[in-house]
Amino acid sequence: MAHIKISLSLSEEDAAFLDTETLSGRYSSRSAAVQDAVRLLRESLLADAYAEAYAEGYDEDWDATAEDGIA
């Protein structure tokens, strides 16, 4: 996966937290910690989207689609 460099502005408290996580060995760098945070945010938003779709109601047509063997 290609990476790009970006500049972020963080509060001193957030930067200190990243440093603490890095120094503890949990992450190899601030970048690694931020990448994990972005991944967690993406997963959370995806889970929210699935929950919202499920809340809209169960669609029996999905059963037929799941059984067609394409997925």
Side-chain angles (χ1 to χ4, degrees), residues 2-3 5 10 16 18 26 29-30 33-34 40-41 46 53 55 58 67:
H3 291 91
K5 288 190 176 205
L10 299 172
L18 290 176
R26 180 175 174 130
S29 65
R30 286 176 170 173
V34 172
L40 290 170
L41 176 60
L46 183 59
Y58 182 75
E67 293 172 359

Side-chain angles (χ1 to χ4, degrees), residues 2-4 7 22 25-26 31-32 44 46 51 58 64 66-68 70:
H3 291 91
I4 61 169
S7 175
T22 301
R26 180 175 174 130
S31 290
S44 172
L46 183 59
Y58 182 75
E67 293 172 359
D68 68 7
I70 293 175

Side-chain angles (χ1 to χ4, degrees), residues 23-40:
L23 291 172
S24 74
R26 180 175 174 130
Y27 295 102
S28 59
S29 65
R30 286 176 170 173
S31 290
V34 172
Q35 288 169 4
D36 197 34
V38 170
R39 178 189 60 78
L40 290 170

Side-chain angles (χ1 to χ4, degrees), residues 34-65:
V34 172
Q35 288 169 4
D36 197 34
V38 170
R39 178 189 60 78
L40 290 170
L41 176 60
R42 184 182 300 125
E43 289 175 0
S44 172
L45 294 175
L46 183 59
D48 290 347
Y50 278 121
E52 183 179 332
Y54 184 79
E56 290 177 3
Y58 182 75
D59 187 346
E60 293 179 7
D61 290 337
W62 281 109
D63 288 338
T65 303

